[in-house]
Amino acid sequence: MRHGDKIKNLGRKKAHREALLSNLASQLITHKRITTTLAKAKALRVYAEPLITKAKENTTHQRRVVFSYLQDKDAVTILFREIAEKIANRPGGYTRIVKLENRLGDNAEMAIIELVDYNTVYGADTAAAAKKSTRRRGGSTAKAKTAAPAAAKEVAPVEEAKVVEEVKTEAPVAEVTETPAAEAPATPEAEENAEKGE
C-alpha cells in the first residue's frame, strides 16, 4: 500500500528525477512555456513554484539556494531579473497547466506548462485581477457608510446659512456689455460693397 506516499516518482530514481526536474525548470524559466507529459508538468509545478517565490527576495543567499536546485547560471539570472519583476505582486500560482491531445506514439497525456504572467492570450484578464485586493476587513465600511449621511445632515443647514449670508452681503454687479470690434474688409471688392451699403 502507498499510504502517505506523496512523491511523484515518475518511474525514476531520486538522482535521475532531480536532474529531470532541474532541467525542466531551467527550460521553463528560459522559454516561459514548455510542452511535456501531464505527470511531469504536475511534478514540475511543485518543484518550480517555490523557486519562483524565492526569486522575490533578491539576495545572494536566495540566489545560491535557487542555483543549488537549477545548476544553470543563465536561468537563475533570468529568474531574478525578468521574472521576479513580473510576479512581484502575485501571491503564488505562477504557472498554468493546459492539457493537450494524447501523444501519437504511446498515447501519453500531454500538457503545456507556462508562466502565467507571460501569456499573451490571457494577459488582459490577469492584469486586472492582479490589482484587485483579496483581503477584506469586517465592519469598518458599514460603520463609515452609516456615519457619513448622519454627519452630512447635521452640517448641511449651517453651510446653507453661510452661503445665503454671503450672497446678501455682496454688492450688485454692474452689467458689462461688449462692443463689437470693427472688422476690416479683407478684399477691395468688400470695401466697395461696404461703401455702397450692400
Side-chain angles (χ1 to χ4, degrees), residues 125-170:
D125 297 338
T126 56
K131 295 179 183 177
K132 181 181 175 184
S133 175
T134 56
R135 295 188 179 188
R136 295 191 176 110
R137 294 168 145 183
S140 62
T141 55
K143 291 177 185 176
K145 287 180 182 177
T146 57
K153 289 177 183 176
E154 294 173 3
V155 176
V158 175
E159 291 178 358
E160 289 176 5
K162 289 180 181 177
V163 172
V164 171
E165 289 175 7
E166 290 175 3
V167 171
K168 290 179 182 177
T169 57
E170 288 181 3

Side-chain angles (χ1 to χ4, degrees), residues 66-187:
V66 172
F67 180 75
S68 71
Y69 285 93
L70 296 180
Q71 298 294 319
D72 186 357
K73 288 182 182 178
D74 296 331
V76 172
T77 304
I78 291 169
L79 177 62
F80 278 86
R81 285 190 185 164
E82 296 175 19
I83 297 174
E85 292 176 6
K86 282 213 169 193
I87 56 112
N89 297 328
R90 185 177 292 278
Y94 312 112
T95 57
R96 175 187 294 119
I97 295 175
V98 180
K99 293 182 181 179
L100 301 174
E101 294 179 353
N102 291 1
R103 190 160 54 195
L104 290 177
D106 58 355
N107 204 32
E109 293 179 318
M110 300 298 289
I112 292 175
I113 182 168
E114 62 187 359
L115 295 176
V116 172
D117 294 306
Y118 283 88
N119 190 334
T120 57
V121 177
Y122 302 107
D125 297 338
T126 56
K131 295 179 183 177
K132 181 181 175 184
S133 175
T134 56
R135 295 188 179 188
R136 295 191 176 110
R137 294 168 145 183
S140 62
T141 55
K143 291 177 185 176
K145 287 180 182 177
T146 57
K153 289 177 183 176
E154 294 173 3
V155 176
V158 175
E159 291 178 358
E160 289 176 5
K162 289 180 181 177
V163 172
V164 171
E165 289 175 7
E166 290 175 3
V167 171
K168 290 179 182 177
T169 57
E170 288 181 3
V173 179
E175 293 183 13
V176 178
T177 57
E178 294 183 10
T179 57
E183 296 180 8
T187 61

Side-chain angles (χ1 to χ4, degrees), residues 1-41:
M1 291 192 180
R2 52 160 305 281
H3 294 305
D5 182 16
K6 296 182 180 179
I7 297 173
K8 291 181 170 60
N9 292 318
L10 302 175
R12 291 163 172 82
K13 300 284 177 114
K14 184 176 189 293
H16 188 182
R17 184 172 56 250
E18 287 181 356
L20 169 76
L21 292 174
S22 175
N23 288 336
L24 285 173
S26 297
Q27 295 305 309
L28 176 65
I29 290 167
T30 305
H31 299 290
K32 315 302 187 273
R33 174 187 299 167
I34 58 173
T35 303
T36 183
T37 62
L38 183 62
K40 288 178 188 172

